[in-house]
Amino acid sequence: MLPTPDLSHLTRKDYEEVYEPAEDTFALLDALEVDLEFIKGRGPNLALEIGSGSGCVTTFLAKALGPNSLCRVV
């Protein structure tokens, strides 16, 4: 089980500018973790998260896929 990325550095003011992770974020993290071995088996080298989120999903994928992956928030 991979830990949820630490978001403790984000302040209430930050959440005025970005989407605060909620149930949908954590449901997606759970689904990604369930399929992680399948995803890794496909050899991805790019993950792109579009939106004004906290980057929680991208951070999770970056940690899961390792240092050779390119994970960015746009």
Side-chain angles (χ1 to χ4, degrees):
M1 175 179 246
L2 292 170
T4 301
D6 180 15
L7 302 174
S8 64
H9 63 284
L10 295 175
T11 66
R12 184 60 41 202
K13 179 109 174 99
D14 292 322
Y15 290 126
E16 293 175 11
E17 304 293 326
V18 300
Y19 175 79
E20 184 173 0
E23 294 83 8
D24 58 333
T25 300
F26 300 113
L28 178 55
L29 294 181
D30 289 344
L32 288 169
E33 188 166 24
V34 167
D35 289 337
L36 191 55
E37 291 310 310
F38 173 78
I39 294 168
K40 285 181 173 181
R42 306 289 296 175
N45 57 11
L46 174 67
L48 180 65
E49 182 179 5
I50 299 173
S52 59
S54 64
C56 186
V57 173
T58 301
T59 301
F60 179 86
L61 279 173
K63 287 183 174 184
L65 297 177
N68 293 325
S69 64
L70 179 61
C71 298
R72 297 290 184 263
V73 176
V74 175

